[in-house]
Amino acid sequence: MKLGSTADGERRTRVVAVGGAKGSPGCTFVAVGLARCFADHGLPTMLIDADGEEGGVGTALALPGRRQADLGRAAALGVDPGVLRDAAIEASPRLWVLEIGAGELGDQAPDGREVVTAARLDHQVVVVDLGHAWSRLQRQFAAAADWLLWVAVPDRQGLERADRALGRLLHGGGRGLVVNRSARWSLRGADRALVERHAIPLVARLPEHRAAARRVSERSAPAHRQRQFRGGFRLLARTVHPDVEGGGKWP
């Protein structure tokens, strides 16, 4: 069966961009956990690290060094699935990782929309870690995404920054708010204010749990398999992709 197609031949690819305001909201944590969740569910997935400043996908997955040069040389000629296959690293079964360092590539950076178009052909899910530094490349990825998940930490500073950013952000596809590190100290009712003011649904809350987060950061356990985070990631996956709604074998 061709990658990116279902058993009956129907193509249902979803591109999910994950971004947030400055202040360590956990974009990489959410993007990596969500991508691994899709891959474990059986969907061929590409995870793109497009964080212009602090790309951490490779570190989170303990991957070898980046392969950005091939993408840079191909940018002028156009990006196709073959270019992505050569530049991507297979992190685990059904999960490929493409690291794009916008700052390092400079003018050689590919067009994010072309990368998404090519990635759709070989994958059922494309997850893009946008980070918080929104340059031309990040905006291109966001514009090409079917879903934009906005990650916010529920303290006063985190929610104020999210409020300002969401007020400037335009996106034609689905949008959702992910509250990361939700705890007793969270600013009560602030996330509901964001939801109402920006007409953006609250898709999931991921709790603050230091021991579980430490296990994830030490790469001893994937985030989506941790009991404390598992329900949130499953809810995210079911929300943004029709092939995981209401069933399937979960790890």
Side-chain angles (χ1 to χ4, degrees):
M1 183 172 68
K2 181 179 174 59
L3 291 178
S5 63
T6 57
D8 59 5
E10 181 185 359
R11 296 185 57 81
R12 294 198 285 195
T13 301
R14 291 293 181 272
V15 179
V16 185
V18 182
K22 193 169 184 177
S24 300
C27 299
T28 299
F29 177 80
V30 173
V32 171
L34 187 58
R36 296 189 74 169
C37 189
F38 282 127
D40 277 1
H41 194 70
L43 303 181
T45 302
M46 173 165 277
L47 172 59
I48 300 176
D49 187 344
D51 189 333
E53 289 187 353
E54 301 173 356
V57 166
T59 301
L61 294 171
L63 298 180
R66 296 184 175 191
R67 294 192 229 173
Q68 299 165 331
D70 291 340
L71 266 184
R73 286 196 296 270
L77 303 175
V79 179
D80 59 34
V83 169
L84 297 193
R85 283 192 291 270
D86 290 341
I89 298 172
E90 186 172 2
S92 63
R94 296 177 297 277
L95 177 61
W96 290 264
V97 175
L98 181 68
E99 296 188 279
I100 302 176
E104 297 169 35
L105 290 177
D107 293 339
Q108 290 291 307
D111 188 302
R113 291 160 296 191
E114 292 184 5
V115 174
V116 165
T117 298
R120 282 183 185 271
L121 298 177
D122 274 353
H123 303 88
Q124 282 182 258
V125 190
V126 181
V127 179
V128 187
D129 179 8
L130 299 175
H132 65 263
W134 282 63
S135 66
R136 173 186 61 85
L137 182 64
Q138 281 75 32
R139 294 185 182 279
Q140 289 169 347
F141 275 120
D146 302 300
W147 273 90
L148 176 61
L149 298 179
W150 193 260
V151 184
V153 175
D155 59 16
R156 185 174 299 279
Q157 184 180 62
L159 291 167
E160 286 177 351
R161 287 174 172 173
D163 186 33
R164 290 195 298 270
L166 287 169
R168 300 190 301 266
L169 196 63
L170 299 177
H171 180 63
R175 299 198 305 170
L177 178 66
V178 179
V179 174
N180 187 36
R181 296 174 56 200
S182 180
R184 291 181 179 178
W185 52 259
S186 301
L187 191 62
R188 191 178 301 276
D191 53 356
R192 291 194 295 273
L194 285 178
V195 165
E196 294 172 1
R197 190 175 306 160
H198 301 286
I200 180 172
L202 176 60
V203 179
R205 281 193 179 94
L206 299 174
E208 177 166 54
H209 195 285
R210 294 183 181 181
R214 185 166 55 252
R215 289 192 291 270
V216 173
S217 66
E218 293 172 352
R219 296 187 291 276
S220 58
H224 72 290
R225 291 187 178 183
Q226 292 291 290
R227 176 177 56 82
Q228 295 81 4
F229 307 132
R230 187 165 52 211
F233 279 113
R234 290 182 181 181
L235 180 59
L236 281 173
R238 289 189 177 112
T239 298
V240 301
H241 202 295
D243 286 350
V244 295
E245 286 183 358
K249 182 179 179 181
W250 291 92

